[in-house]
């Protein structure tokens, strides 16, 4: 099977929900997990969409993802809270955390939530519009205390997780949506390159010999290569600083770091998120006007290649979602094989 498959978002969400429920997830948990995985596919975040359904099914079956429940509030003061998700899925917990931060921002101008031990969160981008639709700014960072796959600049052994960082900004038109890793690439993209038998587009891996490499197979060699910090061979000190920033704000601030992570934590994450309501400082609509002017300045820049105009973060993802909402989500042959495995595992035929 080499042809890509196209299916509607609704059909894939319903199918994935049924699969997750068959592995024990409560209906509301299963639907939230399926909805946000499919949302990643819609935006074009292929490595963080239904490609990760297999992991989530196996984690539910093994008990490393809790099938139902409510995050616990560990500490609270004014406009900041610390939550312990106790291994509930991030796909279920994060929308609740964003909603709570928005409520705090409405009352105080800002709201911050730190969440520890929340299982697979997928693409941070899928949670941003929850805030931007309400005219609020949002920023998020995520780290994984049980995972060490990213080397600091100058090193060839790992001490960080890939650490995604995301912001969402409302404007007068479509929002700005940024979702990026603080490593040169995400581990999921390396695994996808292995599955598709192709090299990475740039040297994002550091081998045990200390060489920078585009070969994804070195990631599963013995001993394995590690991911380079953002900036790579020449500017990786910047990425190392950003990775430290991320882990201070997540692992250290949650008081649940690498020394505390248990063997069963698996892909459990710590997330820091903050929402700001601009109307706490400005008249209604003033921020959106300023943001729109900043976006216009970026897009007005003279492109190096006239055939490729300058874009702002999120523009391509939103266009991809619009197209796939109309035509169906495109799944590669490699991804479809993974989905077929899930269908067989759950005895739930694909749409």
């Amino acid at each position: 099977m080499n042809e890509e498959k196209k299916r509607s978002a609704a059909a894939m969400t319903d199918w994935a929900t049924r699969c997750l429920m068959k592995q024990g997830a409560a209906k509301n948990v299963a639907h939230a997990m399926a909805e946000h995985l499919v949302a990643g596919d819609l935006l074009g975040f292929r490595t963080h969409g239904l490609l990760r359904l297999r992991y989530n099914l196996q984690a539910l079956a093994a008990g490393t993802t809790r099938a139902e429940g409510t995050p616990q509030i560990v500490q609270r003061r004014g406009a900041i809270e610390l939550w312990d998700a106790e291994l509930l899925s991030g796909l279920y917990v994060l929308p609740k955390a964003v909603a709570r931060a928005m409520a705090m921002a409405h009352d105080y101008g800002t709201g911050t939530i730190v969440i520890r031990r929340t299982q697979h969160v997928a693409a941070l981008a899928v949670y941003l519009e929850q805030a931007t639709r309400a005219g609020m700014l949002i920023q998020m960072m995520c780290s994984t205390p049980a995972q060490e796959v990213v080397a600091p600049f100058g090193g060839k052994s790992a001490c960080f997780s890939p650490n995604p960082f995301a912001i969402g900004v409302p404007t007068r038109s479509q929002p700005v949506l940024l979702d990026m890793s603080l490593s040169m690439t995400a581990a999921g993209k390396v695994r996808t390159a292995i599955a598709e038998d192709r090299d990475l587009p740039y040297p994002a891996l550091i081998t045990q010999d200390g060489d920078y490499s585009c070969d994804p197979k070195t990631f599963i060699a013995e001993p394995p290569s590690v991911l380079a910090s953002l900036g790579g061979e020449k500017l990786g000190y910047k990425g190392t600083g950003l990775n430290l920033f991320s882990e201070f704000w997540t692992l250290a601030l949650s008081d649940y770091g690498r020394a505390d992570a248990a063997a069963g934590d698996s892909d459990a994450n710590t997330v820091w998120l903050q929402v700001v309501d601009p109307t706490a400082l400005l008249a209604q609509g003033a921020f959106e006007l300023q943001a729109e002017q900043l976006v216009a300045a970026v897009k007005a820049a003279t492109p190096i290649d006239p055939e490729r105009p300058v874009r702002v973060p999120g523009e391509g993802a939103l266009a991809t979602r619009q197209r796939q909402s109309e035509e169906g989500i495109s799944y590669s042959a490699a991804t479809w094989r993974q989905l077929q495995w899930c269908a067989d595992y759950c005895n739930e035929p694909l749409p």
Side-chain angles (χ1 to χ4, degrees), residues 25-294:
K27 185 175 181 180
N28 61 330
V29 174
H31 184 265
M33 292 174 73
E35 179 182 31
H36 289 94
L37 286 174
V38 172
D41 284 330
L42 277 169
L43 288 169
F45 289 83
R46 308 295 185 185
T47 58
H48 291 66
L50 282 181
L51 184 63
R52 297 304 308 279
L53 178 62
R54 178 173 180 167
Y55 166 80
N56 282 278
L57 294 171
Q58 291 175 315
L60 282 166
T64 53
T65 294
R66 198 149 57 101
E68 58 184 331
T70 303
Q72 300 302 306
I73 299 175
V74 180
Q75 295 287 345
R76 170 187 287 166
R77 183 191 294 179
I80 187 168
E81 296 179 356
L82 171 62
W83 292 11
D84 190 337
E86 298 180 332
L87 301 182
L88 283 165
S89 171
L91 297 154
Y92 168 70
V93 172
L94 260 60
K96 294 183 176 297
V98 173
R100 175 59 185 149
M102 290 171 62
M104 289 191 286
H106 181 269
D107 292 338
Y108 299 104
T110 185
T112 302
I113 297 185
V114 182
I115 313 162
R116 67 191 187 199
R117 295 200 303 160
T118 184
Q119 276 284 26
H120 184 227
V121 301
L124 296 184
V126 304
Y127 311 106
L128 302 176
E129 289 176 280
Q130 190 174 340
T132 61
R133 281 193 295 267
M136 296 186 182
L137 295 85
I138 181 171
Q139 53 184 320
M140 306 176 73
M141 289 187 287
C142 177
S143 61
T144 311
Q147 184 183 45
E148 296 180 357
V149 293
V150 180
F153 184 63
K156 61 180 184 179
S157 62
C159 66
F160 300 125
S161 49
N163 298 350
F165 169 77
I167 63 169
V169 181
T171 74
R172 283 189 163 185
S173 52
Q174 64 184 22
V176 174
L177 305 175
L178 170 68
D179 185 348
M180 56 181 269
S181 172
L182 299 182
S183 55
M184 280 289 285
T185 191
K189 291 186 177 180
V190 178
R191 289 190 287 266
T192 298
I194 294 169
E196 296 178 353
D197 194 27
R198 57 175 173 81
D199 282 348
L200 297 170
Y202 40 77
L205 298 166
I206 305 172
T207 69
Q208 288 302 298
D209 293 328
D211 299 321
Y212 280 74
S213 174
C214 297
D215 182 1
K217 294 186 178 66
T218 63
F219 198 58
I220 55 174
E222 191 57 47
S225 61
V226 294
L227 299 174
S229 286
L230 188 66
E233 186 173 9
K234 302 297 183 183
L235 299 172
Y237 64 91
K238 295 185 177 183
T240 296
L242 289 170
N243 274 303
L244 276 170
F245 165 45
S246 171
E247 298 202 2
F248 286 141
W249 262 247
T250 55
L251 302 187
L253 200 54
S254 71
D255 194 24
Y256 196 81
R258 302 193 184 283
D260 306 295
D265 280 5
S266 168
D267 201 27
N269 301 282
T270 297
V271 179
W272 177 90
L273 69 91
Q274 185 175 72
V275 172
V276 175
D277 183 353
T279 64
L281 305 172
L282 308 171
Q284 186 78 40
F287 175 84
E288 287 85 348
L289 174 60
Q290 292 290 337
E292 191 71 33
Q293 291 171 349
L294 287 167

